[in-house]
Amino acid sequence: MNQQGQAVVEYMLMIAVITGFFVTMTTLISKSGISAHLMQSINKKFATVYRYGKSDVLGFDDPNGPKDHPRITQSGNFRIFLVVH
């Protein structure tokens, strides 16, 4: 039985299967729009939390004006900020 190179062929087949799975998954993700949906939460919600510290805050440059912004006074809007220089 001549079995030289069998391990190499098996590794090449495994790499081909893994690469095919990766290409198939990336194609399905891009066609189904899952990536756009995930990026929407990153671009909107996480960005707002990073800027203002709260997810439902609207800033001065947002279309509906400031809402629960740290620099405006409204009922129920009380946050203490510590500024360290």
Side-chain angles (χ1 to χ4, degrees):
M1 295 275 217
N2 188 5
Q3 294 184 358
Q4 284 183 324
Q6 181 179 354
V8 174
V9 172
E10 289 175 359
Y11 288 131
M12 289 173 62
L13 288 173
M14 285 298 293
I15 289 173
V17 168
I18 291 170
T19 304
F21 177 75
F22 178 75
V23 168
T24 304
M25 290 305 294
T26 54
T27 304
L28 288 174
I29 287 172
S30 65
K31 285 185 179 180
S32 66
I34 294 173
S35 59
H37 181 66
L38 292 174
M39 288 305 293
Q40 180 182 10
S41 66
I42 291 172
N43 288 338
K44 290 184 179 179
K45 190 165 190 144
F46 293 153
T48 305
V49 171
Y50 179 77
R51 277 179 86 180
Y52 304 119
K54 200 173 173 185
S55 63
D56 57 346
V57 173
L58 295 174
F60 288 97
D61 55 347
D62 289 327
N64 294 332
K67 175 186 164 247
D68 291 337
H69 194 274
R71 291 188 294 179
I72 62 171
T73 55
Q74 288 177 334
S75 62
N77 185 23
F78 178 74
R79 286 182 266 166
I80 299 175
F81 292 92
L82 177 64
V83 179
V84 179
H85 293 277

